Structures are given as C-alpha cells and as structure tokens.
Amino acid sequence: MFDPVIAPSGTLLGLLQRGRGDGTLHALAAPRAEALAALAHCVLDDPRHDWQVENRSLYYARLYLDLHGGLEEIEAHLFGAEDHLDTEESRTGLALAVLGHLASYGRQDALLLLRRYAATGTNWAWALDELALRDDDAGLRALAPPVLARFAADAEGDAELARTVRDAFEPRPWRLWAEDRRDTVGPRVRAAMEQGSFDRWQRQMRPTGPRPGWSVRAVLDWAQEGYERGAVLYGPAARCLTAVAGPEDRPELLAAARDGAEGARGAALHHLAESADPAVLDLVEHAADGAPRPVAEAA
C-alpha cells in the first residue's frame, strides 16, 4: 500500500484527512456537496498512515449522519470490479467500519450493504465482524449459506474453514451457525469449531518439544504435565478429548477417571461429564469421596 497523499492542512479535505475536530465544523459550514465529496474521498481512499492503529471510522460516520449523506459512492467502491483485483483489507476496511457505525445509529441502508458485502465481497470477514456486533440473529443466519459456500466441500476446504473459525475476531456468527438445524450449516460449523480447538491445542503443545501423537493418551499426558507445572488444564484438555476420542477410547478414559494421576484424572472426568457418559456420576462420587483434594474439587 502506498503512503496516502494528504491535502494541505488549511483545506477542508486536509482537515478531514487528519481527523481534526475543527474539520467537522468546516464541513458543516461548507456547501453540502463539497463536504460530502471530501468525506467520500477520505472514506474511499484511506488517509491514515497506519490504518491498524489510527481509528477514524466513528469520526467519518458521525459526519455522514450530520450531513445526511447517501452511501452510493461507498456502494460503488465496495462492489466494483476492483474488489476482486485488490484484495487488501486496507482498501475496504475503513468503508466497512464506517458502515458498521452507521448501522449502529440505525441506518438500515448501511446494514443492508454490510449484509450484501459479507455474502459477495472479497473482504467479507471484516463485514461479518461488523455485523456480528450489530445485526440480529435472523440476519446473521441468512448469511450462513453464502459464507460457507466460499469453502469447498473437501478436506482442503474444511481445513480452511476451521482456520477461519478459529481465528475469527467476532465468534457470534459462528456460534449461531453451529446451532443451526440445516444439515449443510450446523454440522459443518460444529466440526470446524472442534477442529479449531484441536488446532489451538496443537499450537500450545509445539513450544514444549516434539509434537505428540494425536491420541487420548497424548491429551491426558499433556493435562498431567500441566498439572505438575501448576497449570490446571482440565477444561482445555476436555475439549481436546472431544476432538480426538472415539468409542474405542472409552475404557482408557474410564480408567483414567477412576484411578489416573491428578491432572489426567481431572481432564477425563470433565470430558466424561461433558459427553454425558452413563458412568460419570459414579466416577464423580468416587472422586469426591476418596481422591486427592485437587481431583475432589474438580469433581
């Protein structure tokens, strides 16, 4: 991205590009068409030297409200052919953030543009994050099919989906979609979320040495190692067990929950409780009666 070209500070455009407070006063005093042209120039050609640390979207959104500005130029910017040629977040991020603030202020046209861009635009993830904070459940549910269609229904597409869910800035849409009853939505998102938890566990394991095999035993060992270091990992380990354990692993989990070492035992108990295993009540009672104090408290 090239450094922005900033107009002289004495001009209306220069004031707005710098985010100056008196820029708002000058814009309101200027002819409306001139003020809107300068405002659109700023929103469509981000004037910030570092867009990741300078917040300017609320400033511009409020000015759009004060000037009763339309969104036609933002719409043309988002849905033009260049959106598929220049996929950098910096090209559309400011415009999407401005739309997000406008939607918060009740601008339905801004909300509709965000929904449309989340369904079809290149920088769709940013638009989805804006909607996660402002849209209702029905609006977000309607976006599930077009968003999921971006990911091929194969191993590579599922892996990309899992990474996207894992790294999502705003988790609300994904959690909502995980509860969706449609066969093409809920099961796929839940699988991606489980894989994301598993991926996080993998990343946690890497700094401590060679990567272990992905097995129930490896997860239990990790929970025990954490316990010995003073880190209680019952919850994270239980989520990892959900990702790796199958029916054939139940005997090992039952044995760990009954007589395992403290860290592994707590993780196994948590996992069996979350999966509603029929033996878990007896195991919890057994742990509460005679297990070491940390395990008894966990039970």
Side-chain angles (χ1 to χ4, degrees):
M1 178 182 176
F2 297 104
D3 287 336
V5 177
I6 305 298
S9 59
T11 64
L12 174 59
L13 177 58
L15 290 171
L16 295 182
Q17 286 178 318
R18 291 169 173 81
R20 295 279 298 273
D22 52 350
T24 298
L25 299 177
H26 282 75
L28 295 176
R32 181 170 176 271
E34 178 186 344
L36 285 173
L39 177 58
H41 186 285
C42 294
V43 173
L44 306 185
D45 188 10
D46 195 336
R48 296 170 293 181
H49 286 282
D50 189 342
W51 64 275
Q52 293 179 310
V53 299
E54 294 184 60
N55 189 349
R56 203 69 57 76
S57 55
L58 182 58
Y59 173 82
Y60 294 140
R62 286 175 172 169
L63 192 50
Y64 263 108
L65 292 173
D66 291 338
L67 294 171
H68 303 285
L71 304 180
E72 294 81 8
E73 291 183 84
I74 292 181
E75 180 179 9
H77 178 72
L78 293 178
F79 298 101
E82 192 176 356
D83 189 58
H84 299 283
L85 302 175
D86 182 357
T87 59
E88 292 294 327
E89 288 184 333
S90 55
R91 194 190 79 84
T92 54
L94 180 56
L96 293 171
V98 168
L99 290 178
H101 287 300
L102 289 174
S104 294
Y105 284 115
R107 287 281 297 261
Q108 186 69 12
D109 52 349
L111 183 67
L112 294 176
L113 282 180
L114 282 172
R115 288 176 179 172
R116 180 180 160 199
Y117 190 82
T120 63
T122 297
N123 192 12
W124 63 271
W126 191 313
L128 187 61
D129 285 339
E130 297 291 341
L131 289 167
L133 300 174
R134 284 124 181 152
D135 208 352
D136 56 26
D137 287 355
L140 290 175
R141 286 194 184 97
L143 288 171
V147 169
L148 293 178
R150 295 175 180 274
F151 304 92
D154 55 24
E156 184 176 348
D158 289 342
E160 184 182 358
L161 175 60
R163 289 192 296 270
T164 300
V165 174
R166 181 195 67 200
D167 298 334
F169 191 73
E170 294 292 343
R172 181 183 164 220
W174 302 103
R175 290 174 179 170
L176 190 66
W177 297 343
E179 300 170 356
D180 198 294
R181 295 183 178 181
R182 287 172 288 185
D183 293 339
T184 57
V185 177
R188 193 175 186 200
V189 175
R190 286 195 297 272
M193 295 178 75
E194 290 174 1
Q195 183 61 44
S197 296
F198 188 56
D199 290 344
R200 279 191 290 271
W201 174 59
Q202 287 179 303
R203 291 193 294 182
Q204 289 174 332
M205 292 295 289
R206 286 192 188 109
T208 63
R211 191 172 74 177
W214 308 130
S215 64
V216 167
R217 173 46 49 194
V219 177
L220 294 176
D221 289 345
W222 174 63
Q224 181 60 30
E225 291 169 5
Y227 176 84
E228 293 170 357
R229 296 194 309 269
V232 178
L233 301 174
Y234 300 152
R239 289 191 291 272
C240 292
L241 287 171
T242 299
V244 302
E248 69 279 4
D249 297 305
R250 184 170 181 266
E252 182 176 4
L253 288 167
L254 292 175
R258 178 170 292 277
D259 300 310
E262 287 87 345
R265 190 174 184 182
L269 283 169
H270 270 252
H271 168 71
L272 292 171
E274 290 176 0
S275 59
D277 189 281
V280 72
L281 293 179
D282 291 338
L283 291 169
V284 168
E285 183 178 357
H286 176 69
D289 288 342
R293 182 176 177 180
V295 176
E297 291 176 350

